[in-house]
């Protein structure tokens, strides 16, 4: 292949260059990230691609990390490859977590199976281009992440980037004062040994964005660099230049995943059938029960609006607080239903039940291991934890909640909490929740940069605002 050179020549050049042209000085901090270090050895490509001869297939190539990677990451080779991949929270999306059954809620089983096998072949062959198209929610990103994680496990350097995110990074670095930063980000895309571009077409359509994408794809097409692309745009509607490169019959495999039946399937959400059917946004009354004041009605309307926005675009944390019966669980269940409609992976758990399930998973009769049960909750795309603070307080329960909350806080994973304790009093010594949870948990729940709180103040919906009936006199039945 053009641009490749024998392995011994690469090592010789590395040795000669490193003695006279240092990648970085010893005074630089150890925690420098990949894009912040300029390397004259590899021209910031970070990897050398080596093949026995010019016409060798991609599967015969060897990818050698440049010595600058040691300086940048300071970790083992396998850890460098994982960090370089930039998969982050998508590490949970693997081929093992893909279900190839008959459920056709979000994607047609036949076309999805074809895409699944094409993705597995791409991992094995590591050559050509693989293009997956289809409507939102059909599993394209899951397959792309599955490819990325499988390559990482095989020790193959791969770069996973969302197209809108890539263009945002390029725009932010497009400044004469930081021109080198822009060049480094751009090189990481065009020179990655294997590149996965997720969600092509979701970016804002501007001439500048089209130009950058054309440069990246044309460069990789001309050099025949292995590339995987997912797009929600029908292939026939792509521009001429994109169709020419992505649809080359001698170089690319294009698979269209058809939409499924569109019938929401909440079997795996943890939301009971009754809640799913009765607790929706349409059935929530912002007027409150009888006797609600104007201020109480306003609190319900504000909580409804916040839950609706979160459901449409899950981001950050939403904390719904208030006394029993004001509609916190109703709104949380409505969020779950909306996420299911969008094809998102969502899980609803009543906190005491969750901890009971985790305890049982330790025992010999547990149907699933603890790691599996805990991992499903920790890594789900959208998590709803209902009635935080209602669980029995133990050191073990606090430890598990701490691990769960810290992971989702650090990864900025969308999460909804309902609780009878308001964040306004969460730090008070008299507040019940602070006697149950450590400062580390309270600190994250109180993080104003991540958490949006809505306090619901209204009469108990279950009483419909009515005054409780007096007890029947002795000797008379109170039943009707």
């Amino acid at each position: 292949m053009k641009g490749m050179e024998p392995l011994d020549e690469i090592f010789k050049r590395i040795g000669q260059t490193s003695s006279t042209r240092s990648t970085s000085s010893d005074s630089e901090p150890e925690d420098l990230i990949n894009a912040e270090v300029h390397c004259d050895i590899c021209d910031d490509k970070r990897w050398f691609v080596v093949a026995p001869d010019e016409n060798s297939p991609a599967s015969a190539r060897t990818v050698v990390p440049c010595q600058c990677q040691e300086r940048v990451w300071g970790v083992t080779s396998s850890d460098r490859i994982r960090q370089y991949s930039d998969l982050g929270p998508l590490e949970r999306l693997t081929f093992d977590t893909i279900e190839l059954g008959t459920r056709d809620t979000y994607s047609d089983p036949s076309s999805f199976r074809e895409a699944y096998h094409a993705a597995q072949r791409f991992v094995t062959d590591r050559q050509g281009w693989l293009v997956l198209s289809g409507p939102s929610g059909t599993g394209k990103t899951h397959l792309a992440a599955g490819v990325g994680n499988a390559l990482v496990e095989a020790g193959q350097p791969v770069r996973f980037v969302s197209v809108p995110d890539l263009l945002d990074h390029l725009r932010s670095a497009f400044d004469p004062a930081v021109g080198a930063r822009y060049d480094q980000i751009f090189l990481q895309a065009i020179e990655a040994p294997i590149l996965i571009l997720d969600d092509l077409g979701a970016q804002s359509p501007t001439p500048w964005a089209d130009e950058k994408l054309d440069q990246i794809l044309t460069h990789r097409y001309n050099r025949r660099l292995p590339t995987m692309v997912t797009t929600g745009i029908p292939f026939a509607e792509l521009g001429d230049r994109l169709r020419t490169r992505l649809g080359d019959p001698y170089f690319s495999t294009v698979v269209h995943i058809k939409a499924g039946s569109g019938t929401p399937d909440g079997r795996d959400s943890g939301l009971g059938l009754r809640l799913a059917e009765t607790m929706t946004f349409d059935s929530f009354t912002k007027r409150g029960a009888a006797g609600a004041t104007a201020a109480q009605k306003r609190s319900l309307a504000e909580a409804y609006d916040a839950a609706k926005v979160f459901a449409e675009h899950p981001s950050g944390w939403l904390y719904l607080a208030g006394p029993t019966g004001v509609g916190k669980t109703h709104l949380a269940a409505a969020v779950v239903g909306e996420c299911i409609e969008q094809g998102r992976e969502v899980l609803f758990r009543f906190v005491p039940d969750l901890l009971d399930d985790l305890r049982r998973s330790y025992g010999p009769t547990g149907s699933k291991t603890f790691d599996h049960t805990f991992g499903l909750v920790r890594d789900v795309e959208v998590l709803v934890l209902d009635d935080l603070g209602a669980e029995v307080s133990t050191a073990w329960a606090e430890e598990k909640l701490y691990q769960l909350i810290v992971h989702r806080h650090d990864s900025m994973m969308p999460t909804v909490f309902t609780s009878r304790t308001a964040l306004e009093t969460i730090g008070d010594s008299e507040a019940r929740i602070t006697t149950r949870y450590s400062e580390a948990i309270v600190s994250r729940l109180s993080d104003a940069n991540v958490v949006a709180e809505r306090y619901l103040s209204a009469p108990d919906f279950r009483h419909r605002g009515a005054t409780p009936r007096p007890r029947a006199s002795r000797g008379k039945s109170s039943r009707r």
Side-chain angles (χ1 to χ4, degrees):
M1 279 190 173
K2 183 179 179 181
M4 294 183 180
E5 55 184 314
L7 186 58
D8 58 343
E9 292 296 324
I10 287 177
F11 286 135
K12 184 186 300 182
R13 181 159 61 85
I14 290 176
Q16 293 172 346
T17 309
S18 61
S19 63
T20 58
R21 303 169 71 184
S22 175
T23 298
S24 57
S25 68
D26 293 336
S27 62
E28 289 177 323
E30 291 294 333
D31 60 349
L32 288 174
I33 63 171
N34 188 50
E36 291 178 340
V37 174
H38 172 63
C39 180
D40 293 320
I41 300 173
C42 63
D43 291 331
D44 300 331
K45 296 175 184 178
R46 310 304 184 213
W47 309 93
F48 295 104
V49 181
V50 187
D53 57 66
E54 185 175 321
N55 298 317
S56 296
S59 57
R61 298 180 309 172
T62 301
V63 180
V64 181
C66 176
Q67 70 177 38
C68 67
Q69 296 247 32
E70 294 288 348
R71 177 63 176 169
V72 172
W73 301 120
V75 291
T76 64
S77 177
S78 60
D79 287 337
R80 285 204 309 275
I81 289 174
R82 181 163 295 282
Q83 292 179 24
Y84 173 80
S85 72
D86 207 23
L87 282 161
L90 298 182
E91 291 178 3
R92 61 190 170 82
L93 301 180
T94 66
F95 285 123
D96 292 337
T97 60
I98 293 175
E99 183 175 336
L100 282 179
T102 58
R103 293 164 62 174
D104 63 349
T105 303
Y106 307 117
S107 57
D108 166 67
S110 178
S111 61
F112 184 82
R113 190 175 293 108
E114 180 185 358
Y116 174 86
H117 292 306
Q120 289 194 317
R121 287 194 299 271
F122 184 82
V123 172
T124 302
D125 298 339
R126 303 193 301 277
Q127 60 184 346
W129 284 15
L130 173 61
V131 181
L132 302 183
S133 67
S136 177
T138 50
K140 302 184 300 297
T141 296
H142 196 149
L143 287 173
V147 167
N149 285 308
L151 289 168
V152 168
E153 289 298 321
Q156 296 295 323
V158 57
R159 187 78 171 177
F160 183 102
V161 293
S162 164
V163 172
D165 288 347
L166 171 63
L167 292 171
D168 282 346
H169 291 322
L170 288 174
R171 286 189 190 96
S172 65
F174 198 65
D175 185 327
V178 290
R181 171 73 172 166
Y182 171 87
D183 292 340
Q184 290 157 6
I185 296 173
F186 194 65
L187 277 172
Q188 286 177 12
I190 66 173
E191 295 288 0
I194 303 174
L195 178 65
I196 299 176
L197 289 173
D198 187 43
D199 225 356
L200 175 69
Q203 72 279 358
S204 300
T206 66
W208 181 88
D210 292 342
E211 177 188 348
K212 297 303 115 181
L213 283 173
D214 183 73
Q215 289 175 335
I216 293 170
L217 293 172
T218 298
H219 178 91
R220 298 188 66 83
Y221 178 82
N222 291 338
R223 298 199 176 198
R224 293 300 195 254
L225 295 173
T227 307
M228 180 177 183
V229 178
T230 74
T231 179
I233 299 178
F235 195 79
E237 297 180 14
L238 293 171
D240 291 341
R241 288 180 66 83
L242 280 177
R243 288 203 311 273
T244 299
R245 285 154 181 73
L246 299 181
D248 185 338
Y250 301 102
F251 185 57
S252 299
T253 299
V254 180
V255 180
H256 178 71
I257 305 176
K258 300 176 183 178
S261 64
T263 303
D265 190 339
R267 285 179 289 179
D268 296 330
S269 71
L271 187 65
L273 180 61
R274 185 186 69 83
L275 293 183
E277 291 180 344
T278 62
M279 295 190 173
T280 66
F281 283 114
D282 290 338
S283 64
F284 185 84
T285 173
K286 292 181 280 187
R287 297 188 304 274
T293 66
Q296 290 172 335
K297 293 177 181 179
R298 185 165 57 251
S299 75
L300 294 178
E302 290 174 353
Y304 173 92
D305 292 341
K308 186 70 172 174
V309 170
F310 181 95
E312 293 172 351
H313 304 284
S315 177
W317 288 6
L318 177 62
Y319 190 95
L320 300 175
T324 300
V326 294
K328 305 185 301 295
T329 298
H330 190 138
L331 289 177
V335 168
V336 174
E338 184 77 17
C339 288
I340 291 173
E341 291 281 359
Q342 298 174 12
R344 297 183 184 277
E345 184 186 17
V346 59
L347 188 63
F348 177 98
R349 295 309 308 266
F350 178 56
V351 174
D353 288 348
L354 167 63
L355 292 171
D356 283 347
D357 289 344
L358 291 175
R359 289 187 187 97
R360 281 192 294 268
S361 68
Y362 270 121
T365 59
S367 59
K368 297 180 180 179
T369 66
F370 171 83
D371 289 343
H372 176 78
T373 304
F374 187 71
L376 288 177
V377 180
R378 180 193 61 199
D379 298 326
V380 70
E381 181 182 358
V382 181
L383 175 64
V384 177
L385 293 176
D386 187 41
D387 217 353
L388 180 69
E391 71 281 357
V392 175
S393 178
T394 66
W396 181 88
E398 181 178 335
E399 178 188 351
K400 297 306 117 183
L401 286 173
Y402 170 76
Q403 292 173 337
L404 177 62
I405 288 172
V406 167
H407 175 81
R408 296 190 69 85
H409 182 272
D410 291 347
S411 302
M412 294 293 290
M413 302 178 76
T415 308
V416 177
F417 299 87
T418 74
S419 178
R420 281 169 273 176
T421 303
L423 292 179
E424 183 180 9
T425 60
I426 199 171
D428 292 350
S429 59
E430 299 300 322
R432 185 165 61 96
I433 200 169
T434 56
T435 65
R436 305 167 64 86
Y437 300 136
S438 67
E439 291 183 3
I441 292 179
V442 173
S443 173
R444 287 165 175 81
L445 290 174
S446 305
D447 185 351
N449 293 318
V450 176
V451 186
E453 181 195 17
R454 293 296 182 272
Y455 188 86
L456 291 77
S457 173
D460 191 330
F461 272 102
R462 299 182 182 94
H463 294 161
R464 297 297 179 194
T467 302
R469 296 176 182 274
R471 290 181 178 273
S473 61
R474 191 175 297 232
K476 294 183 179 181
S477 173
S478 61
R479 295 183 179 179
R480 294 191 174 184

